[in-house]
Amino acid sequence: MNTHRKTGMRRISATLLVNIGQLLTLRSAAEGPRRGAFLSELGIIQDAAVLCVGGKIVSVGSTKDALRDPWLKKNRKKIVEIDCGGRVVLPGFVDSHTHLVFTHARLVDFEKRIAGASYEEIAEAGGGIRSSIDGVRKASKAALTQTILATLADLARHGTTTVEAKSGYGLSLESELKSLEAIRAAAREWPGTVIPTFLGAHMVPAEYRGRSREYVDVVCNEMLPAVAKRKLAQFVDVFCERGAFSAEETARIFAAAKKHGLAVRAHLGQLSETRLGPLLRYQPASFDHMDHVNDADLPALAQTDTVATFVPGANYFLGLARYPKARRFIESGVAVALATDYNPGSSPTLSMAMAMSLACTQMKMSPAEAVAAATINGAWALRLADRKGSVEAGKDADLAVFAVSDYREIPYWVSANRCALTIMNGVPSGQLCW
Ligand code: NIG
Ligand code: FE
């Protein structure tokens, strides 16, 4: 461990993790998101140690070297030392797709689906996304902030240290701004990192029924400028799908987002196929879901840094037999990520380990591929790979400690939460709890 040197230790907090059974560094010399065979390279160090100072990772190496290091020996009393006892440590998960601003579970939809109704039939009958709107419109910003904070705490307990958070259940200027302001207020209270996304184009609200063109005008000309002016979002997302927004409407919204300096991403191919070419021109950070994609589009996608983000929690919860064809994407050289899609309608889970487990069993991704897709490629999907997603000197000190002795156990223990501790921007969540 060739560390640090005089890092001004007196004022800065320092944490040293030692006796890490397997440290998954995800380090890389190559540029760009992980693709193909490279997706499985985890950069594992056995018997490892990590030193974090002032919210950053300062050095990574073996426990033996760390304990012999003269600087560390001298400063040991000022350093919080965590003995990981052979547990696995990896970069905190980067959950690059969540809808966490909502107020109620959608239990009627749940029962209707069990009785045989499809996601689209439920939406047409007034359930679905539209049925979450009333709750958000009526809620105060303070109440939404508290709900989001509780969700963020739960995410951290499951090993997630960076999360993308979408609006999209307000669908009026006032309620979308309120949702994004609640995200901002909660983010300030949480030691992890929140990336806000404006999803005004989640669904055409009931008052614009049959007038989707007018609603898109409102999104582009009223909501988007207000969001950009208040710096409330980094990304603009669109639910591009039959029954929601067409590819042409998505392109219009993307163009407006670009005009206001905001990056774009889209829900794409969840229920039906949309050709990628016209939307790739806007350099989206990610296309999410991707259950229905034309194979002919994969080579062009592989030439870009647009990440295909799979959200198998939605396939599971909607009871679908079909999952995204992950192998085809990986073999074509497309950069893929995994996310929870946490939301009350299609994916009420915030467990990245569960998303990984589904990716392994239903999409035939290997455990190693699932780890990279849930960390470094999630960071690429949020354009944060310079700071997040791997355990390397200079990156943010975001780590998850799992009470397992082999990383493959993370997706293996179905629906279990073996996360024993997280460190977010250098702040440990407490004591090891497993
Ligand atoms: O990603 N598809 C659009 N948005 C969500 C579902 C949201 C909802 O049903 O409330 C999704 O699956
Ligand atoms: Fe979604």
Side-chain angles (χ1 to χ4, degrees), residues 97 99 106 119 129 169 202 239 267 270 289 314 341 343-346:
H97 183 145
H99 307 249
R106 294 220 298 265
Y119 185 77
I129 293 169
Y169 292 116
H202 200 186
F239 184 18
H267 286 68
Q270 181 178 12
H289 286 277
D341 194 10
N343 77 75
S346 67

Side-chain angles (χ1 to χ4, degrees), residues 258-402:
K258 291 260 153 173
K259 204 175 93 194
H260 286 92
L262 292 166
V264 299
R265 54 200 319 115
H267 286 68
L268 207 76
Q270 181 178 12
L271 309 165
S272 62
E273 183 185 299
T274 298
R275 296 306 297 262
L276 307 184
L279 296 178
L280 277 174
R281 282 196 279 131
Y282 299 91
Q283 297 165 309
S286 71
F287 285 143
D288 301 27
H289 286 277
M290 302 297 259
D291 300 30
H292 300 264
V293 176
N294 193 309
D295 281 353
D297 286 348
L298 295 184
L301 184 59
Q303 292 303 311
T304 69
D305 279 352
T306 299
V307 177
T309 302
F310 304 131
V311 290
N315 301 65
Y316 164 77
F317 189 73
L318 296 180
L320 306 179
R322 179 179 173 144
Y323 280 74
K325 299 196 168 49
R327 291 256 59 88
R328 237 178 247 176
F329 284 78
I330 295 168
E331 277 147 27
S332 304
V334 174
V336 304
L338 285 168
T340 62
D341 194 10
Y342 174 68
N343 77 75
S346 67
S347 190
T349 174
L350 41 67
S351 165
M352 285 293 279
M354 185 65 195
M356 290 164 65
S357 190
L358 289 166
C360 292
T361 61
Q362 309 301 307
M363 293 154 56
K364 310 303 172 202
M365 287 174 68
S366 69
E369 289 172 336
V371 168
T375 55
I376 188 69
N377 274 13
W380 276 102
L382 295 180
R383 304 224 163 115
L384 287 177
D386 55 332
R387 287 167 49 204
K388 309 284 184 190
S390 65
V391 185
E392 294 176 277
K395 284 216 173 175
D396 294 347
D398 288 347
L399 303 166
V401 183
F402 271 76

Side-chain angles (χ1 to χ4, degrees), residues 14 16 25 32 63-64 68 72 87 140 216 221 225 256 263 296 343 406:
L16 176 68
T25 65
T63 297
K64 216 165 81 199
R68 274 205 304 243
L72 273 175
R87 293 174 181 81
S140 68
V216 173
N221 305 332
N343 77 75
D406 184 303

